[in-house]
Amino acid sequence: MNIDLSFYSWELISSYVLSGFIFSVQLTVIATVGGIFFGTLLALMRLSGKPFLAIPAAAYVNMMRSIPLVMVILWFFLLMPTILGRPIGAEASAIITFIAFEAAFFCEIMRSGIQSISRGQVHAGQAMGMTYSQNMRLIILPQAFRNMIPVLLTQTIILFQDTSLVYAIGAYDMLKGFEVAGKNFGRPIETYLAAAVIYFLICFSLSKLVRVLQQRVAIIR
């Protein structure tokens, strides 16, 4: 098997891969922000002590964590046009699906972070006359976010890897860009090899940065 290394060039990246890479990064950032936001709400619901909030939140989280992401992507992409009566597009479908799916995972991360805060700080806030929402917003959540930053970033790296699954619905992500280039140039082996190397370099580099950040957070603690 001969692999033509001269095939790799900036023209290949700029013409086929760059736009897919930008979408993969955009999807990662949007899904992370949306996932953390809704995940935090779900975590607060689960910790509220109120069954009408805790039970639906727990059911949603357990359901999402038990279904493969690619199946959720396909279901949403195929069913929503039937429900709405019009297509919503592969990119929009991917964004909505990723936010909904990742919220369940970020929920458990935030729930662990909130539960890691000493109950003494909660009682101290209550002694100062703070309401539950003020206590959470001013004392508990800032510390929980700080403690969970390395775990949140690790989940974001996993999320970036998972963006390649939008390939299943035809969204133009980074992997799709490499696939199109491979088909157009008749070099599928070279393009898939390049895709694997780039995914590895990005995720490995980010993992190293997360490890450094984790050590700094540990020192702050």
Side-chain angles (χ1 to χ4, degrees), residues 12-201:
L12 168 71
I13 300 297
S14 61
S15 299
Y16 296 95
V17 180
L18 186 59
S19 60
F21 172 74
I22 292 174
F23 175 71
S24 293
V25 172
Q26 289 175 336
L27 178 57
T28 301
V29 172
I30 294 172
T32 298
V33 174
I36 290 176
F37 176 78
F38 290 108
T40 301
L41 293 180
L42 288 169
L44 293 176
M45 290 171 65
R46 295 198 67 178
L47 295 172
S48 65
K50 300 176 180 178
F52 69 93
L53 292 176
I55 292 176
Y60 178 86
V61 170
N62 291 329
M63 180 186 69
M64 282 296 186
R65 286 166 59 89
S66 301
I67 303 175
L69 174 57
V70 67
M71 292 183 65
V72 179
I73 293 172
L74 288 170
W75 286 348
F76 188 88
F77 180 70
L78 295 174
L79 291 178
M80 287 309 294
T82 303
I83 296 173
L84 297 177
R86 61 181 179 83
I88 60 175
E91 285 74 16
S93 180
I95 290 172
I96 296 171
T97 303
F98 266 76
I99 292 175
F101 188 83
E102 292 299 327
F105 289 85
F106 283 118
C107 166
E108 294 302 277
I109 294 173
M110 290 309 304
R111 187 163 71 99
S112 298
I114 292 171
Q115 291 178 325
S116 69
I117 306 301
S118 170
R119 296 299 299 174
Q121 298 192 45
V122 177
H123 297 322
Q126 292 172 343
M128 294 174 62
M130 289 186 177
T131 63
Y132 175 80
S133 61
Q134 289 175 329
N135 212 345
M136 278 291 175
R137 181 165 49 88
L138 300 176
I139 297 179
I140 306 302
L141 286 180
Q143 295 183 73
F145 274 113
R146 187 193 66 189
N147 293 343
M148 291 296 103
I149 283 177
V151 184
L152 292 171
L153 292 178
T154 299
Q155 181 62 30
T156 301
I157 295 172
I158 297 173
L159 197 164
F160 175 74
Q161 295 172 340
D162 288 344
T163 59
S164 61
L165 296 176
V166 302
Y167 172 97
I169 58 175
Y172 201 95
D173 68 317
M174 186 167 73
L175 182 59
K176 185 68 173 181
F178 277 109
E179 187 218 6
V180 172
K183 288 182 177 179
N184 288 348
F185 288 94
R187 291 284 193 276
I189 296 176
E190 287 88 342
T191 51
Y192 280 120
L193 177 61
V197 170
I198 290 180
Y199 272 108
F200 172 78
L201 290 176

